[in-house]
Amino acid sequence: MQTTMPDIAHSADALQTGKLDWVGMGNIELPLLFASKGLSDTHVTAKADAFVNLQKEDAKGIHMSRLFLALDTLSCEQSLTPKTLTQVLDSFISSHQELSNAAKVSITFELPLRRPSLLSKKQGWKSYPITITAILEDGVALIELGVDVTYSSTCPCSAALARQLIQNAFAEKFQQATVDKEQVHAWLGTTEGILATPHSQRSIANIKVLLPADCEEFDILALINQVEDELKTPVQAAVKREDEQEFARLNGQNLMFCEDAARKLKALFEKTSYQDFYIKINHYESLHAHDAVAYAVKGIASGYKA
């Protein structure tokens, strides 16, 4: 009786020879314990893509189960950190000696964070889509941290047009030479007084940053806070009336085209220690059926391209 199971990936001939850039698996279900500076380790339900390159031209294939088992060890025995992620990639390569010299993993999940409201300081949950991508090649690891930040953008053009309508309505209502302050104050509190409002829309900043080579821990909270503080109008969780009023004020004081948002964030990231950055601004217009979009990158050689 035959006792050794066949290993086709190792023993069979390739139908056609040639090197491959990446071979592996996508959408692996992967519960993880995510560790990041300033946060308690957080259980997340992730999806992972895992790959090695295939350098041996006549090899039939790679050993995908070895990639899966390395990720399973990360899931069951470790927290997700830059160090453990690099160890996973090293395991990918060491388990494919003579086949591969590079490994790649991409992990996506939703990170729930408790966020305070603007004035009332009520707390609520907000989930942030996170993507962590890491590549190890010739002993050098590159780790990219990506996050989507949702905010409100109010159109500067629409605001100017609304102000003009209000000015015209004021001139028509108060044509007399002298104007009574109390009468004007009361009029401004009516729908006739504020007969037009600018349009605003939910918007998303897609951010990717390449972490410094000596980075020992993720700091997703700092990244999110930097972006939200710069844009001024992040979407809220728990909201009381005073929070909604403050949100309206912030929108009115931070009018933004997509170009404005992209330039704000580009200037922000140019002051940071990230090796590289990629910004995509998406304003999901309420006026148009299409979106307003802007891109910005650091602009380094061999870096991100817009």
Side-chain angles (χ1 to χ4, degrees):
M1 177 182 294
Q2 187 176 7
T3 58
T4 302
M5 297 184 188
D7 184 355
I8 298 300
H10 178 72
S11 60
D13 294 329
L15 296 178
Q16 184 169 328
T17 61
K19 296 181 180 180
L20 294 174
D21 296 315
W22 297 115
V23 183
M25 296 171 288
N27 288 318
I28 304 168
E29 295 183 5
L30 197 67
L32 288 169
L33 190 62
F34 177 62
S36 186
K37 184 177 180 180
L39 299 174
S40 300
D41 288 3
T42 305
H43 289 279
V44 296
T45 301
K47 291 290 185 71
D49 299 339
F51 302 97
V52 291
N53 63 349
L54 185 54
Q55 290 290 288
K56 189 175 181 182
E57 296 190 18
D58 60 348
K60 181 70 171 177
I62 69 164
H63 305 279
M64 294 193 183
S65 63
R66 298 177 186 177
L67 307 185
F68 184 94
L69 292 174
L71 286 173
D72 192 64
T73 298
L74 174 65
S75 173
C76 296
E77 301 178 12
Q78 300 171 311
S79 297
L80 176 59
T81 68
K83 181 180 179 179
T84 59
L85 195 56
T86 302
Q87 289 172 346
V88 166
L89 294 174
D90 186 66
S91 175
F92 285 2
I93 296 172
S94 63
S95 65
H96 287 81
Q97 291 183 6
E98 300 181 1
L99 295 181
S100 308
N101 66 355
K104 176 181 179 180
V105 65
S106 182
I107 298 172
T108 60
F109 56 90
E110 296 268 339
L111 179 66
L113 293 178
R114 295 289 286 174
R115 304 298 272 173
S117 54
L118 293 168
L119 293 179
S120 69
K121 302 307 177 184
K122 300 295 183 182
Q123 295 272 334
W125 289 105
K126 282 176 64 178
S127 288
Y128 294 84
I130 306 295
T131 301
I132 299 173
T133 301
I135 296 176
L136 181 64
E137 186 171 8
D138 297 326
V140 178
L142 296 175
I143 301 179
E144 171 193 282
L145 181 60
V147 62
D148 292 350
V149 177
T150 307
Y151 63 100
S152 173
S153 60
T154 301
C155 175
C157 181
S158 178
L161 295 171
R163 289 194 300 268
Q164 184 184 54
L165 288 173
I166 295 169
Q167 285 177 313
N168 293 342
F170 177 86
E172 183 177 345
K173 176 69 175 180
F174 300 98
Q175 297 181 20
Q176 63 270 32
T178 59
V179 178
D180 180 74
K181 176 183 175 181
E182 295 302 322
Q183 186 182 8
V184 173
H185 183 269
W187 178 79
L188 286 173
T190 67
T191 54
E192 181 188 359
I194 307 298
L195 78 169
T197 58
H199 73 81
S200 60
Q201 51 270 322
R202 187 175 297 178
S203 305
I204 298 178
N206 307 128
I207 307 297
K208 293 188 291 187
V209 295
L210 190 61
L211 300 183
D214 59 352
C215 181
E216 297 183 352
E217 59 183 343
F218 295 116
D219 195 355
I220 189 63
L221 188 59
L223 177 58
I224 291 171
N225 286 342
Q226 285 176 318
V227 173
E228 292 190 342
D229 289 347
E230 188 66 28
L231 294 175
K232 308 296 185 186
T233 55
V235 297
Q236 300 296 296
V239 173
K240 302 290 284 184
R241 279 178 293 177
E242 59 265 39
D243 303 311
E244 186 167 0
Q245 186 179 63
E246 177 65 3
F247 190 69
R249 186 190 71 81
L250 288 168
N251 271 267
Q253 296 301 307
N254 295 278
L255 307 173
M256 286 185 288
F257 289 134
C258 63
E259 297 93 328
D260 297 309
R263 287 172 175 147
K264 280 175 174 282
L265 294 184
K266 183 177 182 181
L268 168 69
F269 287 124
E270 284 176 342
K271 301 174 186 176
T272 66
S273 61
Y274 298 122
Q275 294 187 63
D276 200 0
F277 61 80
Y278 168 98
I279 301 162
K280 180 185 178 185
I281 297 296
N282 309 271
H283 285 188
Y284 301 113
E285 294 252 358
S286 58
L287 172 64
H288 303 290
H290 55 262
D291 306 327
V293 180
Y295 292 85
V297 296
K298 191 171 184 177
I300 62 176
S302 303
Y304 290 122
K305 305 297 181 186

